[in-house]
Amino acid sequence: MRINWDYIKLTFLLVAVVALYGFADQRNSKRQVSKISVEFVGEENLYLTEDAVNKLLIQKCGPLENRAKEQLVLNTIEEVILSNDMVKNAQVYLTVNGELISEIIQRKPIGRVEGVSKFYLDDTGGRMPLSRYHSARVPIITGKITGKSLEDAYVILNYINDDDFLRKNIIGIHIEEEGNYQLKFRMENFVVNLGGVENLNVKFKNFMAFYTKATKDKTLEEYATVSLEFNNQVVCTKI
């Protein structure tokens, strides 16, 4: 009987590869976590610190450094990090060197509510607690705080953040009542009566036309209120 040496060689090679893979996998699973790293993605202002994340992980998962890699459940670690109210998203992974890395995206505040309760509105419209580590420079929301008025404030803030001039100059939204909102500017004495959140594009277009002309005429300091409530009009009240 003729022996097929090519077949035997191939079989031997496959067995050797499987054995080496099993050995490497077993050896790798017994390796310990060599280092814990926390990386914040995309946001310079830290509403949460690396130390705070590490303390949270120790409280919920126990010490992770020097623990065998096979004992780690990465999904569980991600869920622990996501339980922090400052975190929008988290991804946890292990490197070949045994480093446990947590990449964290923080929530982004766009307005700060100053009422009976104090908190941020984030870029999804959700409530975000204040941080002990950093105070965001965002417009302050005051007045009659309700669920509907906060929804409207979120719409206004989104519009403001899409415009470079408005984002740099509007420092406050005051809620007179639902459907009646005032805007406060950084460098001007007047307040802007916005009315409701309908037709914001038209209202702000009219306001910018007024602001440009008044700046050119050097008359901005003469006004106490600038009203955008009326259809396609800017109505001003002098001091």
Side-chain angles (χ1 to χ4, degrees):
M1 183 178 67
R2 185 176 180 181
I3 299 175
N4 190 331
W5 290 105
D6 290 338
Y7 177 79
I8 294 174
K9 289 177 182 179
L10 180 61
T11 302
F12 178 79
L13 180 61
L14 288 174
V15 170
V17 168
V18 171
L20 286 172
Y21 177 82
F23 174 76
D25 185 61
Q26 183 181 20
R27 184 177 179 182
N28 182 62
S29 66
K30 291 182 179 180
R31 281 189 173 182
Q32 295 179 330
V33 176
S34 60
K35 183 180 178 182
I36 308 294
S37 295
V38 177
E39 299 176 359
F40 294 96
V41 180
E43 180 63 58
E44 294 180 1
N45 300 322
L46 296 183
Y47 305 100
L48 180 67
T49 65
E50 180 176 352
D51 185 54
V53 174
N54 285 329
K55 286 182 179 178
L56 176 65
L57 290 176
I58 290 173
Q59 288 173 358
K60 300 294 186 180
C61 304
L64 296 176
E65 197 165 338
N66 298 322
R67 184 182 294 187
K69 293 167 64 175
E70 64 181 356
Q71 296 178 2
L72 297 180
V73 181
L74 299 184
N75 287 341
T76 300
I77 297 174
E78 286 182 359
E79 289 173 2
V80 169
I81 296 174
L82 286 169
S83 70
N84 188 286
D85 288 332
M86 300 297 178
V87 177
K88 183 176 184 179
N89 196 11
Q91 183 177 5
V92 178
Y93 59 92
L94 275 164
T95 68
V96 292
N97 296 323
E99 183 177 3
L100 181 67
I101 298 178
S102 302
E103 291 186 349
I104 296 174
I105 299 176
Q106 298 179 106
R107 295 172 68 184
K108 182 179 179 180
I110 60 173
R112 175 170 174 156
V113 175
E114 290 289 334
V116 176
S117 299
K118 302 179 188 299
F119 55 90
Y120 291 122
L121 276 186
D122 73 2
D123 58 354
T124 67
R127 298 189 179 202
M128 173 182 171
L130 303 184
S131 170
R132 71 173 72 175
Y133 305 108
H134 181 76
S135 181
R137 296 184 63 183
V138 292
I140 304 298
I141 304 169
T142 57
K144 297 181 180 179
I145 307 296
T146 67
K148 178 61 170 63
S149 65
L150 284 181
E151 290 177 9
D152 287 349
Y154 172 67
V155 172
I156 297 169
L157 288 166
N158 268 338
Y159 191 97
I160 290 171
N161 284 330
D162 285 338
D163 184 278
D164 189 57
F165 173 83
L166 298 176
R167 184 175 64 254
K168 291 178 179 178
N169 287 280
I170 293 178
I171 60 172
I173 300 174
H174 182 69
I175 303 169
E176 289 286 313
E177 58 186 12
E178 289 183 9
N180 190 2
Y181 306 99
Q182 288 183 338
L183 306 179
K184 298 180 180 180
F185 279 70
R186 186 179 308 280
M187 301 298 294
E188 312 303 341
N189 293 323
F190 60 77
V191 296
V192 174
N193 289 330
L194 184 65
V197 295
E198 67 283 348
N199 301 320
L200 288 182
N201 190 52
V202 174
K203 289 178 178 180
F204 281 114
K205 182 178 179 180
N206 291 338
F207 171 77
M208 290 308 301
F210 154 79
Y211 190 90
T212 301
K213 185 177 187 307
T215 300
K216 183 178 179 181
D217 295 341
K218 299 181 179 180
T219 59
L220 284 175
E221 295 182 358
E222 298 178 8
Y223 300 106
T225 62
V226 177
S227 179
L228 308 176
E229 300 172 80
F230 307 101
N231 186 32
N232 206 29
Q233 297 182 62
V234 177
V235 179
C236 302
T237 303
K238 290 191 174 183
I239 297 173

